[in-house]
Amino acid sequence: MYIALLSYTAPRNEVDYALAEHADWLRSHFAHGLFLVSGKGNEDADQVIISRPCVRGKLDAVLATDPLVLQRLAHYRVIEFSATRTADEFLTVNEALAS
């Protein structure tokens, strides 16, 4: 699994103009099942995304299409981790990890 930490590289007033496109981009990847959780970060990142287990190259390719990245308003730092335990609510993720 991955945690993607999004950090803004431009002033917030510039970022604000692209947030609607970013929200649409997020919705699309939730609908396709890649993203599990997203939200506002603090200190280490402006936003955080937790993704399903996948090939790292696939995630990198998807993150590169974020409108905030394409417009050079932000960049991602990705942390990979192996989930060894999850809550029952993440049963489908548990099954993906077992395979």
Side-chain angles (χ1 to χ4, degrees), residues 32-34 53-64:
H32 286 94
L34 179 60
C54 66
V55 175
R56 171 67 188 263
K58 175 182 178 178
L59 179 62
D60 289 341
V62 167
L63 295 176

Side-chain angles (χ1 to χ4, degrees), residues 42-55:
N42 58 22
E43 299 177 26
D44 290 336
D46 293 296
Q47 293 186 31
V48 177
I49 298 170
I50 299 177
S51 77
R52 294 188 171 278
C54 66
V55 175

Side-chain angles (χ1 to χ4, degrees), residues 18-41:
L19 287 179
E21 290 176 79
H22 171 74
D24 290 342
W25 174 85
L26 279 172
R27 252 185 245 100
S28 169
H29 293 292
F30 271 102
H32 286 94
L34 179 60
F35 296 161
L36 298 171
V37 177
S38 70
K40 184 171 173 32

